[in-house]
């Protein structure tokens, strides 16, 4: 009789492997790739990277030669203008003319000095319609140089800071993509745990129902009490409730992962259990070295100090003393025809020094300089503190990753033991030498051990992608992370 009961329980508690034709099976790398390609976060990161690229292109254009064509063509006038006479009186005379100009000029900034080389060629035509005369005036060519004196050189400092800012934005894009991987991993394990919970709840409900049938046979044979039957019914109700909760959690987790990855298929998503990568070594000194070489935060440390030093230089340069030295050499001429303007032009020379010196500013310039110097000290202290937090975060994460590897091995062993114990407890209950309470405890321990293993897997893979994010280095492939 005991043998027949055991065979009956073994048959009814073995889950059927139903093959779903409309099931989409995905692994963790596949979900992460979809998120990097389709998620809103990834698209926002790509758009921001493109914006930063064109901003950097715009900055670089400031150091390239600029060529411009300007003019007023035509400049027709017909009116009355006030004309002062020799005796001081004013007469309004009719004016009817055209005064058109055309100018082609180029400029080239010199970052080292802050000065500018410039050159131009221009032509002017004046038509007096009242007197029926036409005159031309122009400068065939001219070149000059203007140099600010004792002033802040914005070109020099921007040439130091803007490349750092652009490189920082490029690395920030890689960090954003790694953040996408971290979030996708979270959604992946949310759904995986929900699937495991639903599968476990259904299995427990099915086993409880089958054990209930076996217990009814035992009750007819007088081998168990009525109280044990009631306990089984209570367990069956609890299992039914667990199935409902797990189904709800599964729907929520499935919707979240579909929304984040942009997966619009109506297929049922079946997730694969990720493998373990216990052989990978992640030395803390290597992570720290790669972080300082790759992270946008590390680049920002240098940029922030450079910006603070720039502000000090600007405060000292903007001290109220402004001077501009300008020199220009060229040729000019005027004639009745265009061709004669370019024949035998006359020398054109210009040298001038413009300056402005404050006599009394009540300490304004000195106050601005002292404020900038104080901000520089504050930035140095803040950067030093951020560096300490930077290092601490990396060392802590490497330690956590090593702990997660150990925890994963322990939970995997506990999962195996709990599963074997559950099978033995079921056999012992069929044979009649185990109570229903002990059987229920064995099922609960198996369920919890499985959940603990999934949670350990989640912690392990989350820590792995955190290491990638903190270092921007792939320790599996032994290379820097980059996205084209």
């Amino acid at each position: 009789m005991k043998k027949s009961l055991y065979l009956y329980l073994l048959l009814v508690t073995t889950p059927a492997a139903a093959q779903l034709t409309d099931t989409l099976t995905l692994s963790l790398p596949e979900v992460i790739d979809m998120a990097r390609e389709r998620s809103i976060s990834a698209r926002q990161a790509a758009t921001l990277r493109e914006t930063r690229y064109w901003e950097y292109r715009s900055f670089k254009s400031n150091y390239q030669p600029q060529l411009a064509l300007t003019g007023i063509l035509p400049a027709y006038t017909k009116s009355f203008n006030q004309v002062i006479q020799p005796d001081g009186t004013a007469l309004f005379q009719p004016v009817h003319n055209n005064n058109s100009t055309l100018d082609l000029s180029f400029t080239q900034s010199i970052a080292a000095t802050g000065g500018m080389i410039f050159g131009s060629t221009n032509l002017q035509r004046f038509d007096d319609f009242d007197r029926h005369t036409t005159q031309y005036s122009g400068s065939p060519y001219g070149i000059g140089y203007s140099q600010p004196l004792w002033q802040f050189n914005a070109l020099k400092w921007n040439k130091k800071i803007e490349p750092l800012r652009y490189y920082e934005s490029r690395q920030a894009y890689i960090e954003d993509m790694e953040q996408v991987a971290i979030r996708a991993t979270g959604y992946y394990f949310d759904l995986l745990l929900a699937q495991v919970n639903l599968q476990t709840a259904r299995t427990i409900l099915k086993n409880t129902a089958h054990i209930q049938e076996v217990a009814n046979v035992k009750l007819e044979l007088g081998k168990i009490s009525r109280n044990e039957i009631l306990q089984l019914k209570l367990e069956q109700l609890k299992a039914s409730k667990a199935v409902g909760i797990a189904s709800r959690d599964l729907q929520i987790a499935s919707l979240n992962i579909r929304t984040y990855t942009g997966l619009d298929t109506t297929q049922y998503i079946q997730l694969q259990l990720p493998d373990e990568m216990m052989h990978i070594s992640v030395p803390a000194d290597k992570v720290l070295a790669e972080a300082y070489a790759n992270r946008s935060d590390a680049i920002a440390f240098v940029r922030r100090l450079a910006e603070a030093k720039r502000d000090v230089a600007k405060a000292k340069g903007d001290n109220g003393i402004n001077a501009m030295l300008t020199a220009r050499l060229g040729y000019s001429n005027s004639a009745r025809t265009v061709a004669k303007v370019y024949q035998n032009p006359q020398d054109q020379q210009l040298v001038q020094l413009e300056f402005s010196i404050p006599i009394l500013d009540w300490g304004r310039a000195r106050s601005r300089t002292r404020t900038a110097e104080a901000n520089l000290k504050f930035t140095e202290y803040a950067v030093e503190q951020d560096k300490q937090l930077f290092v601490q975060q990396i060392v802590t994460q490497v330690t956590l990753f090593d702990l997660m590897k150990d925890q994963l091995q322990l939970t995997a062993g506990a999962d195996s033991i709990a599963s074997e114990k559950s099978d033995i407890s079921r056999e012992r209950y069929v044979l009649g030498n185990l109570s229903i309470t002990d059987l229920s405890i064995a099922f609960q321990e198996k369920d919890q051990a499985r959940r603990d293993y999934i949670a350990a897997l989640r912690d392990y893979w989350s820590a792995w992608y955190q290491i990638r994010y903190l270092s921007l280095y792939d320790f599996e492939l032994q290379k820097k992370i980059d996205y084209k």
Side-chain angles (χ1 to χ4, degrees):
M1 188 64 182
K2 290 182 179 180
K3 185 177 180 180
S4 62
L5 285 173
Y6 170 71
L7 292 175
Y8 173 74
L9 180 62
L10 183 62
L11 289 173
V12 298
T13 57
T14 302
Q19 298 295 327
L20 299 177
T21 58
D22 59 346
T23 298
L24 177 63
T25 303
L26 296 173
S27 63
L28 178 58
E30 289 173 337
V31 170
I32 291 176
D33 288 342
M34 284 192 297
R36 286 172 176 161
E37 181 180 354
R38 306 177 186 177
S39 69
I40 299 298
S41 298
R43 294 176 185 177
Q44 289 175 334
T47 302
L48 185 60
R49 178 185 64 169
E50 185 177 3
T51 301
R52 296 291 182 262
Y53 169 75
W54 289 113
E55 288 178 350
Y56 183 66
R57 286 286 301 271
S58 177
F59 152 76
K60 290 184 68 177
S61 68
N62 295 329
Y63 299 83
Q64 303 299 324
Q66 307 293 316
L67 188 64
L69 178 65
T70 60
I72 302 176
L73 186 67
Y76 177 79
T77 301
K78 185 176 182 181
S79 67
F80 285 86
N81 287 351
Q82 180 181 355
V83 179
I84 304 299
Q85 301 302 304
D87 59 357
T89 60
L91 292 178
F92 288 91
Q93 299 291 342
V95 175
H96 187 197
N97 60 42
N98 172 57
N99 190 8
S100 300
T101 60
L102 198 62
D103 183 271
L104 179 64
S105 62
F106 83 92
T107 57
Q108 172 65 64
S109 299
I110 309 298
T113 63
M116 177 184 295
I117 298 174
F118 59 89
S120 66
T121 177
N122 59 70
L123 181 66
Q124 179 180 2
R125 170 173 173 159
F126 182 80
D127 297 300
D128 190 336
F129 298 115
D130 291 332
R131 298 168 180 79
H132 306 287
T133 60
T134 298
Q135 288 185 334
Y136 291 92
S137 175
S139 175
Y141 60 90
I143 189 169
Y145 180 76
S146 61
Q147 176 62 54
L149 303 177
W150 308 298
Q151 294 185 32
F152 171 69
N153 187 351
L155 291 172
K156 178 181 178 181
W157 282 99
N158 288 341
K159 197 170 184 179
K160 292 180 179 180
I161 294 173
E162 290 302 323
L164 289 173
R165 193 186 302 277
Y166 175 60
Y167 184 44
E168 182 182 349
S169 68
R170 289 179 55 191
Q171 299 309 106
Y173 170 72
I174 301 176
E175 292 173 7
D176 290 339
M177 298 303 287
E178 289 303 303
Q179 284 282 11
V180 168
I182 293 173
R183 286 192 288 269
T185 300
Y187 288 126
Y188 184 92
F189 279 99
D190 285 343
L191 180 56
L192 181 61
L193 183 59
Q195 289 179 345
V196 169
N197 288 340
L198 180 58
Q199 181 182 6
T200 301
R202 285 175 175 172
T203 302
I204 291 177
L205 178 61
K206 185 176 181 180
N207 288 344
T208 303
H210 294 159
I211 291 175
Q212 178 77 39
E213 295 177 8
V214 175
N216 290 334
V217 176
K218 285 186 175 184
L219 180 63
E220 293 177 0
L221 298 175
K223 295 186 176 294
I224 60 174
S225 64
R226 178 66 179 172
N227 184 59
E228 195 165 340
I229 294 295
L230 294 176
Q231 180 65 32
L232 280 172
K233 288 183 177 181
L234 181 60
E235 294 294 332
Q236 192 170 4
L237 290 175
K238 291 166 60 178
S240 298
K241 180 181 178 182
V243 169
I245 294 175
S247 298
R248 178 203 63 191
D249 294 342
L250 178 66
Q251 293 296 326
I252 295 174
S254 179
L255 178 62
N256 288 339
I257 199 171
R258 289 177 190 274
T259 301
Y260 190 71
T261 60
L263 188 64
D264 56 0
T265 178
T266 58
Q267 293 176 297
Y268 175 78
I269 300 176
Q270 180 64 48
L271 301 182
Q272 297 177 349
L273 203 63
D275 296 329
E276 306 164 6
M277 299 189 303
M278 295 300 181
H279 62 282
I280 293 181
S281 176
V282 183
D285 55 346
K286 177 65 173 177
V287 177
L288 193 58
E290 292 296 335
Y292 269 114
N294 305 327
R295 283 284 302 280
S296 65
D297 287 343
I299 303 169
F301 295 153
V302 181
R303 174 186 56 79
R304 288 161 60 188
L305 290 173
E307 288 177 340
K309 293 177 181 178
R310 175 202 61 190
D311 293 342
V312 172
K314 187 175 187 304
K316 291 180 178 180
D318 296 343
N319 58 3
I321 302 176
N322 295 315
M324 177 72 72
L325 177 63
T326 303
R328 187 179 188 277
L329 296 175
Y331 293 89
S332 63
N333 202 358
S334 63
R336 293 288 184 178
T337 63
V338 175
K340 290 184 178 180
V341 171
Y342 295 92
Q343 295 176 3
N344 301 318
Q346 304 299 312
D347 289 346
Q348 184 185 52
Q349 301 175 2
L350 170 68
V351 176
Q352 67 180 24
L353 176 64
E354 300 178 64
F355 63 89
S356 172
I357 302 175
I359 303 301
L360 183 64
D361 69 350
W362 304 101
R364 180 187 303 169
R366 184 167 178 263
S367 298
R368 285 199 296 258
T369 301
R370 290 297 178 88
T371 300
E373 290 173 345
N375 287 334
L376 173 59
K377 289 183 179 180
F378 179 82
T379 301
E380 290 173 344
Y381 298 147
V383 167
E384 187 63 30
Q385 183 179 26
D386 290 343
K387 284 183 178 180
Q388 294 177 2
L389 294 175
F390 185 79
V391 174
Q392 182 180 358
Q393 183 184 19
I394 291 174
V395 173
T396 301
Q397 191 60 45
V398 172
T399 303
L400 286 176
F401 180 70
D402 292 335
L403 290 176
M404 290 305 104
K405 289 197 294 186
D406 296 337
Q407 289 295 320
L408 187 56
Q409 290 179 328
L410 294 175
T411 53
D415 180 48
S416 177
I417 294 173
S419 179
E420 183 179 359
K421 180 181 177 182
S422 175
D423 294 338
I424 295 174
S425 298
R426 185 179 59 185
E427 295 176 6
R428 289 183 59 193
Y429 178 79
V430 172
L431 297 175
N433 57 0
L434 188 70
S435 67
I436 186 61
T437 301
D438 292 334
L439 179 62
S440 177
I441 292 174
F443 285 161
Q444 292 176 5
E445 289 177 346
K446 177 184 177 182
D447 180 22
Q448 187 60 45
R450 192 59 178 172
R451 292 178 182 177
D452 290 344
Y453 177 65
I454 299 298
L457 264 180
R458 177 181 191 147
D459 292 340
Y460 173 81
W461 280 104
S462 297
W464 164 250
Y465 282 107
Q466 281 287 345
I467 291 291
R468 284 171 55 99
Y469 164 74
L470 291 176
S471 62
L472 299 188
Y473 187 83
D474 190 337
F475 285 89
E476 183 181 14
L477 301 179
Q478 294 295 314
K479 68 175 186 178
K480 297 180 184 295
I481 299 174
D482 193 15
Y483 297 96
K484 301 300 183 182

